[in-house]
Amino acid sequence: MSSSQAAPKPDSLLVSNGGRWTLTADGEALERSFKFKTFTKTWDFMTAVSLQCKIHNHHPEWSNVYNTTFIRWTTHVPKGLSEKDINLASICDSLARDFGELEPEPETSSCEMRGLADEVVKDGSCCVKK
C-alpha cells in the first residue's frame, strides 16, 4: 500500500463487519489466525508478511504451528492500536488471499496459538533495542 492511500478503518477488518480480525478485549490490538493447505504455503505467507514488516518498520506478535499462523498487530511504544497495525492487518488479508488461505474453522487451535504469542511478549521486551 502506498503512503498516498488512506489506511483502512479497523471496523472494516472486524468479524462483526464481515472481516476476519477481532479486536482484543482492551482494544489495543487486532488478531486472527490464517490457515493454509501446507506448511510450505504457510511459510511463504509468513515470509511475505516479514518483508512487509521490514518495509513498514513494524512487527507482529505471531506464532505458527504447521499450516496455521496466529497474528496480533499492536504497537508497544506508544502502547495501543496504530495506523501501522491497521495497514499491516489489511496487507495480511491480501497476502493470505494470494497464498490460498483456507476458509476459517471454529476458534479452537488459535486459542493455543494466541497463548504462545502472549507468552513471548509478556515481559514487554520484544521492542526494546538490545
Side-chain angles (χ1 to χ4, degrees):
M1 179 172 288
S2 75
S3 58
S4 64
Q5 292 177 315
K9 300 287 184 209
D11 291 349
S12 67
L13 299 172
L14 298 177
V15 169
S16 59
N17 293 322
R20 293 193 180 175
W21 294 88
T22 57
L23 197 57
T24 56
D26 60 12
E28 295 184 349
L30 289 169
E31 59 187 23
R32 88 172 186 91
S33 291
F34 298 83
K35 187 172 184 176
F36 299 88
K37 189 173 182 178
T38 64
F39 173 75
T40 302
K41 283 286 187 188
T42 305
W43 194 262
D44 290 345
F45 166 73
M46 291 175 66
T47 301
V49 172
S50 70
L51 176 59
Q52 292 301 313
C53 293
K54 183 176 181 179
I55 291 168
H56 295 277
N57 193 28
H58 198 53
H59 67 85
E61 297 169 5
W62 66 1
S63 57
N64 164 255
V65 177
Y66 182 59
N67 67 339
T68 305
T69 299
F70 170 80
I71 298 180
R72 179 184 300 131
W73 287 108
T74 189
T75 298
H76 297 98
V77 179
K79 192 169 172 55
L81 188 62
S82 71
E83 187 173 318
K84 278 186 179 182
D85 299 315
I86 297 164
N87 277 333
L88 284 159
S90 181
I91 289 169
C92 285
D93 285 346
S94 179
L95 289 170
R97 283 188 297 273
D98 293 347
F99 285 97
E101 180 185 17
L102 300 175
E103 287 299 314
E105 294 178 359
E107 286 286 320
T108 52
S109 63
S110 66
C111 292
E112 291 174 18
M113 293 176 62
R114 182 179 295 117
L116 289 171
D118 290 341
E119 189 66 26
V120 171
V121 297
K122 71 180 177 184
D123 67 0
S125 66
C126 66
C127 297
V128 178
K129 292 193 191 280
K130 294 174 176 62

